[in-house]
Amino acid sequence: MPPRTCALCNDARAILKRPKTGQQICKDCFFYVFETEVHNTITEAQLFKRGDRVAIGASGGKDSTVLAHVMKTLNERYNYGLELFLLSIDEGITGYRDDSLETVKRNQQQYDMPLKILSYDELYGWTMDAIVSQVGKKNNCTFCGVFRRQALDRGAAILNVDHIVTGHNADDIAETVLMNIMRGDIARLGRCTSICTQGEDTIKRSKPFKYAYEKEIVMYAYFKKLDYFSTECIYSPDAYRGHARAFLKDLEAARPSAIIDIIHSGEAFEIKEDVKATQKIQQTCKRCGYMSSNELCKACTLLEGLERGMAQAAVTDRARKKLDAVGPAPENLRQIPMFKPPSGVHNSTHVAASVGT
Ligand code: SF4
Ligand code: ZN
Ligand code: ZN
């Protein structure tokens, strides 16, 4: 049988089957359609404006490495006029993050972008290794997620950028939609598909890979021979998400459009006014100045729990009462440095949902 020709250019030999569409195409056409779809996502959502300083949340993994490569390519090809930075968070996980950060340091050279690494240890005085030795492998991802979110914003403030892009892909978003449906979390379901979270007066976060399939990201990294780190975190990731992931992979095998269809379903949900009414007024944490929907931000509450040897009591708002019942926080409690938002972002009062994203 003669070799197939590419379904897009009708010229070169097709060497791959595109996971999203099933088309047999050549390598160059694959790069071009993948990049162009990300460009279309960016322009349709008007994610950037000229002169924006944008940090790429970089973990050294495939998603963020491909994101850094594609952002650099598009910024040059379409003359976006962006200043790009790499921002990495060092959670302090021996045998995982230390190795992946070496990859990010090489990416800094390869992509010629300034890199800022901020560690949990310098910010909170706790590494994830130390946290896991206190809390065990249950709830460790709760600590890690809350600490990472705030660390990224603080890193953005240090770089004086007003926008963080992350490598969340279509599979991640579809998984989150499924999880929110299974938990009946309608408020989150309404928000989890938005390409850009956070309002005008906080650090903007967006997901240019919102419609990019994980399989295509892996393929892109492979054919471009990008330098990335592929080991999973040694502390068990969220088991429930694992079930949603396995279910999604089965659906994708039966019908590749399932991933996009689930995202579209999530986008089509409308939140009723009375659900919206449960949103709380956003304020600033009285201890560290970070955005919060309570007097203390979640990171300060979790840090206080760790410092007082009562970490599990800090995990939920209800359990927090136990912590308060023991007495007020000691005077010499370790505290997170005061948060100063980047210039151009105002730390003002605004309405935000009572639950985190
Ligand atoms: Fe942190 Fe959990 Fe992710 Fe590991 S799996 S990096 S502990 S959030
Ligand atoms: Zn082609
Ligand atoms: Zn705080």
Side-chain angles (χ1 to χ4, degrees):
M1 213 171 66
R4 263 179 196 267
T5 49
C6 169
L8 295 175
C9 64
N10 277 318
D11 183 21
R13 192 160 70 94
I15 59 148
L16 60 93
K17 186 173 164 201
R18 198 179 168 198
K20 205 172 187 175
T21 58
Q23 284 169 310
Q24 311 259 14
I25 56 176
C26 73
K27 205 158 75 170
D28 285 339
C29 283
F30 171 64
F31 294 149
Y32 189 75
V33 283
F34 181 87
E35 290 156 3
T36 306
E37 283 180 11
V38 178
H39 171 65
N40 292 343
T41 305
I42 289 172
T43 48
E44 275 161 29
Q46 299 182 327
L47 288 188
F48 310 116
K49 46 185 198 319
R50 289 193 75 73
D52 273 356
R53 292 166 61 88
V54 178
I56 300 163
S59 66
K62 61 175 176 11
D63 299 302
S64 60
T65 304
V66 174
L67 182 62
H69 185 278
V70 171
M71 284 297 298
K72 184 178 170 67
T73 305
L74 297 178
N75 194 32
E76 287 165 6
R77 181 180 302 157
Y78 297 102
N79 195 12
Y80 288 167
L82 304 179
E83 246 186 286
L84 298 173
F85 300 84
L86 294 171
L87 172 58
S88 292
I89 305 303
D90 179 2
E91 296 95 343
I93 303 175
T94 312
Y96 167 62
R97 186 57 82 218
D98 40 3
D99 292 339
S100 67
L101 285 174
E102 290 307 311
T103 312
V104 181
K105 287 179 196 161
R106 289 196 300 276
N107 291 158
Q108 170 188 19
Q109 305 295 324
Q110 291 151 354
Y111 303 140
D112 191 24
M113 288 179 201
L115 163 68
K116 169 73 194 161
I117 301 176
L118 194 63
S119 72
Y120 284 5
D121 197 16
E122 64 184 294
L123 202 50
Y124 308 113
W126 286 79
T127 61
M128 271 314 287
D129 288 339
I131 293 172
V132 171
S133 71
Q134 191 187 115
V135 305
K137 287 193 186 168
K138 192 166 175 276
N139 288 329
N140 55 301
C141 294
T142 303
F143 284 82
C144 197
V146 169
F147 283 176
R148 184 182 304 107
R149 179 163 194 89
Q150 188 165 145
L152 274 172
D153 278 347
R154 286 170 177 271
I158 293 168
L159 289 171
N160 200 23
V161 304
D162 39 22
H163 195 152
I164 303 169
V165 289
T166 57
H168 291 100
N169 59 42
D171 299 52
D172 298 327
I173 297 170
E175 264 164 46
T176 309
V177 170
L178 289 175
M179 284 169 68
N180 287 331
I181 290 174
M182 292 189 282
R183 286 194 292 232
D185 194 337
I186 300 305
R188 272 190 218 202
L189 180 60
R191 280 176 295 137
C192 73
T193 56
S194 44
I195 185 158
C196 195
T197 52
Q198 306 270 316
E200 282 298 298
D201 52 354
T202 52
I203 298 166
K204 207 167 154 182
R205 252 173 223 243
S206 58
K207 304 170 188 141
F209 281 172
K210 178 180 172 186
Y211 298 113
Y213 276 32
E214 183 173 78
K215 280 185 179 165
E216 301 209 345
I217 292 171
V218 173
M219 216 173 231
Y220 188 95
Y222 173 79
F223 284 115
K224 283 271 181 193
K225 298 190 174 61
L226 301 186
D227 183 6
Y228 70 93
F229 183 80
S230 55
T231 306
E232 295 257 326
C233 174
I234 55 168
Y235 301 128
S236 56
D238 188 342
Y240 198 56
R241 180 171 282 274
H243 294 308
R245 171 165 293 239
F247 176 52
L248 187 69
K249 291 279 174 230
D250 285 348
L251 291 176
E252 186 194 8
R255 195 163 55 104
S257 70
I259 295 174
I260 290 289
D261 294 341
I262 290 170
I263 297 176
H264 286 155
S265 304
E267 287 169 340
F269 269 90
E270 283 212 14
I271 306 182
K272 278 196 292 196
E273 283 306 316
D274 55 343
V275 175
K276 281 187 190 152
T278 63
Q279 294 176 336
K280 284 189 186 172
I281 296 290
Q282 186 90 331
Q283 42 188 313
T284 50
C285 170
K286 70 172 191 207
R287 206 171 276 166
C288 78
Y290 186 72
M291 295 76 89
S292 171
S293 44
N294 292 304
E295 265 199 351
L296 285 186
C297 74
K298 197 75 193 154
C300 280
T301 306
L302 293 179
L303 181 61
E304 184 182 329
L306 286 168
E307 290 286 319
R308 296 173 74 179
M310 300 174 64
Q312 297 295 357
V315 172
T316 62
D317 285 346
R318 205 176 321 143
R320 162 85 221 188
K321 295 206 172 72
K322 271 193 226 160
L323 200 66
D324 292 335
V326 176
E331 291 281 311
N332 58 353
L333 191 80
R334 182 168 7 216
Q335 295 196 358
I336 310 173
M338 276 312 274
F339 178 67
K340 285 189 222 69
S343 55
V345 175
H346 310 287
N347 221 359
S348 64
T349 302
H350 69 288
V351 176
S354 59
V355 279
T357 43

Coordinates of all heavy atoms in Angstrom, one line a residue, residues 282-316:
Q282 N -15.1 39.5 49.4 CA -13.7 39.2 49.5 C -13.1 40.3 50.4 O -13.4 41.5 50.3 CB -13.1 39.3 48.1 CG -11.7 38.9 48.0 CD -11.5 37.4 47.8 OE1 -12.3 36.6 48.2 NE2 -10.4 37.0 47.1
Q283 N -12.1 39.9 51.2 CA -11.4 40.8 52.1 C -9.9 40.5 52.0 O -9.5 39.6 51.3 CB -12.0 40.8 53.5 CG -12.2 39.4 54.0 CD -12.9 39.4 55.4 OE1 -12.5 40.1 56.3 NE2 -14.0 38.6 55.5
T284 N -9.1 41.2 52.8 CA -7.7 40.8 52.9 C -7.5 40.1 54.2 O -8.0 40.5 55.2 CB -6.8 42.0 52.6 OG1 -7.2 43.0 53.5 CG2 -6.8 42.5 51.2
C285 N -6.6 39.1 54.2 CA -6.3 38.4 55.4 C -5.6 39.3 56.4 O -4.7 40.1 56.1 CB -5.3 37.2 55.0 SG -4.6 36.4 56.4
K286 N -6.1 39.2 57.6 CA -5.6 40.2 58.6 C -4.2 39.9 59.1 O -3.5 40.7 59.7 CB -6.6 40.3 59.8 CG -6.6 39.1 60.7 CD -7.4 39.4 62.0 CE -7.2 38.3 62.9 NZ -8.1 37.9 63.9
R287 N -3.7 38.6 58.8 CA -2.4 38.3 59.2 C -1.4 38.5 58.1 O -0.3 38.9 58.3 CB -2.4 36.8 59.6 CG -1.3 36.5 60.6 CD -1.5 35.1 61.2 NE -2.4 35.0 62.3 CZ -2.9 33.8 62.7 NH1 -2.6 32.7 62.2 NH2 -3.7 33.8 63.7
C288 N -1.7 38.2 56.8 CA -0.7 38.3 55.8 C -1.1 39.2 54.6 O -0.3 39.4 53.7 CB -0.3 36.9 55.3 SG -1.5 36.2 54.1
G289 N -2.3 39.7 54.6 CA -2.7 40.7 53.5 C -3.1 40.1 52.2 O -3.4 40.8 51.2
Y290 N -3.1 38.7 52.2 CA -3.5 38.1 50.9 C -5.1 38.1 50.8 O -5.8 38.1 51.8 CB -3.0 36.6 50.9 CG -3.2 35.8 49.7 CD1 -2.5 36.1 48.5 CD2 -4.2 34.8 49.6 CE1 -2.7 35.4 47.4 CE2 -4.4 34.1 48.4 CZ -3.6 34.4 47.3 OH -3.8 33.7 46.2
M291 N -5.6 38.0 49.5 CA -7.0 37.9 49.3 C -7.6 36.8 50.1 O -7.1 35.7 50.1 CB -7.3 37.7 47.8 CG -7.0 38.8 46.9 SD -5.2 38.8 46.5 CE -5.1 37.7 45.1
S292 N -8.8 37.0 50.7 CA -9.4 35.9 51.5 C -10.9 36.2 51.6 O -11.3 37.3 51.6 CB -8.7 35.9 52.9 OG -9.4 35.1 53.8
S293 N -11.6 35.1 51.8 CA -13.1 35.3 52.0 C -13.4 35.2 53.5 O -14.5 35.4 53.9 CB -13.9 34.3 51.2 OG -13.4 33.1 51.3
N294 N -12.4 35.0 54.4 CA -12.6 35.0 55.8 C -11.5 36.0 56.4 O -10.7 36.5 55.7 CB -12.4 33.6 56.4 CG -13.5 32.7 55.9 OD1 -14.6 32.9 56.2 ND2 -13.1 31.6 55.3
E295 N -11.6 36.1 57.7 CA -10.6 37.0 58.4 C -9.2 36.5 58.1 O -8.3 37.3 57.9 CB -10.8 36.9 59.9 CG -11.7 38.1 60.4 CD -11.5 38.3 61.9 OE1 -10.9 37.5 62.6 OE2 -12.1 39.3 62.4
L296 N -9.0 35.2 58.2 CA -7.7 34.7 57.9 C -7.8 33.9 56.6 O -8.7 33.2 56.3 CB -7.3 33.6 59.0 CG -6.8 34.2 60.3 CD1 -6.3 33.0 61.1 CD2 -5.7 35.2 60.2
C297 N -6.7 34.0 55.8 CA -6.7 33.3 54.5 C -6.5 31.8 54.8 O -6.0 31.4 55.9 CB -5.7 33.8 53.5 SG -4.0 33.4 53.9
K298 N -6.7 31.0 53.8 CA -6.6 29.5 54.1 C -5.2 29.1 54.4 O -4.9 28.2 55.2 CB -7.1 28.8 52.8 CG -7.4 27.4 52.9 CD -8.8 27.1 53.6 CE -8.9 25.7 54.1 NZ -9.7 25.4 55.2
A299 N -4.2 29.7 53.7 CA -2.8 29.4 54.0 C -2.4 29.7 55.4 O -1.7 28.9 56.1 CB -1.9 30.1 53.0
C300 N -2.9 30.9 55.9 CA -2.5 31.2 57.3 C -3.2 30.3 58.3 O -2.6 29.9 59.3 CB -3.0 32.7 57.6 SG -1.8 33.9 57.0
T301 N -4.4 29.8 58.0 CA -5.1 28.9 58.9 C -4.3 27.5 58.9 O -4.1 27.0 59.9 CB -6.5 28.6 58.4 OG1 -7.1 29.9 58.3 CG2 -7.3 27.8 59.3
L302 N -4.0 27.1 57.7 CA -3.3 25.8 57.6 C -1.9 25.9 58.2 O -1.5 25.0 59.0 CB -3.1 25.4 56.1 CG -4.4 25.0 55.4 CD1 -4.1 24.6 53.9 CD2 -5.1 23.8 56.1
L303 N -1.2 27.0 58.0 CA 0.1 27.2 58.7 C 0.0 27.2 60.2 O 0.8 26.6 60.9 CB 0.8 28.5 58.1 CG 2.2 28.8 58.7 CD1 3.1 27.7 58.3 CD2 2.7 30.1 58.2
E304 N -1.0 27.9 60.7 CA -1.2 27.9 62.1 C -1.4 26.5 62.7 O -0.9 26.1 63.7 CB -2.4 28.8 62.5 CG -2.6 28.9 64.0 CD -3.8 29.8 64.4 OE1 -4.2 30.7 63.6 OE2 -4.4 29.5 65.4
G305 N -2.3 25.7 61.9 CA -2.5 24.3 62.3 C -1.2 23.5 62.4 O -0.9 22.8 63.4
L306 N -0.3 23.7 61.4 CA 0.9 23.0 61.4 C 1.8 23.4 62.5 O 2.4 22.6 63.2 CB 1.7 23.3 60.1 CG 1.2 22.6 58.8 CD1 1.8 23.3 57.5 CD2 1.5 21.1 58.8
E307 N 1.9 24.7 62.7 CA 2.8 25.3 63.8 C 2.3 24.8 65.2 O 3.1 24.6 66.1 CB 2.8 26.8 63.7 CG 3.5 27.3 62.5 CD 5.0 27.2 62.6 OE1 5.6 27.4 63.7 OE2 5.6 26.8 61.6
R308 N 1.0 24.7 65.3 CA 0.5 24.3 66.6 C 0.4 22.8 66.8 O -0.2 22.3 67.8 CB -0.8 25.0 66.9 CG -0.7 26.5 67.0 CD -2.0 27.2 67.0 NE -2.7 27.1 68.3 CZ -3.8 27.6 68.6 NH1 -4.5 28.4 67.8 NH2 -4.3 27.5 69.8
G309 N 0.8 22.0 65.8 CA 0.8 20.6 65.8 C -0.6 20.1 65.7 O -1.0 19.0 66.2
M310 N -1.5 20.9 65.1 CA -2.9 20.4 65.0 C -3.4 20.6 63.5 O -4.4 21.2 63.2 CB -3.8 21.3 65.9 CG -3.5 21.3 67.3 SD -4.5 22.5 68.2 CE -6.1 21.8 68.0
A311 N -2.5 20.1 62.6 CA -2.7 20.4 61.2 C -4.1 19.9 60.7 O -4.8 20.7 60.0 CB -1.6 19.7 60.4
Q312 N -4.6 18.7 61.1 CA -5.8 18.2 60.6 C -7.0 19.1 61.0 O -8.0 19.3 60.3 CB -6.1 16.8 61.1 CG -5.1 15.8 60.6 CD -5.1 15.6 59.1 OE1 -5.9 16.2 58.3 NE2 -4.2 14.8 58.6
A313 N -6.9 19.8 62.2 CA -7.9 20.7 62.7 C -8.1 21.9 61.8 O -9.1 22.6 62.0 CB -7.7 21.0 64.1
A314 N -7.1 22.2 61.0 CA -7.2 23.4 60.2 C -7.7 23.2 58.8 O -8.0 24.2 58.1 CB -5.8 24.0 60.1
V315 N -8.0 22.0 58.5 CA -8.4 21.7 57.1 C -9.7 22.2 56.7 O -9.9 22.8 55.6 CB -8.2 20.2 56.8 CG1 -8.8 19.8 55.4 CG2 -6.7 19.8 56.9
T316 N -10.7 22.0 57.5 CA -12.1 22.5 57.1 C -12.5 23.7 58.0 O -12.0 23.8 59.2 CB -13.2 21.4 57.3 OG1 -13.2 21.0 58.7 CG2 -12.9 20.2 56.4

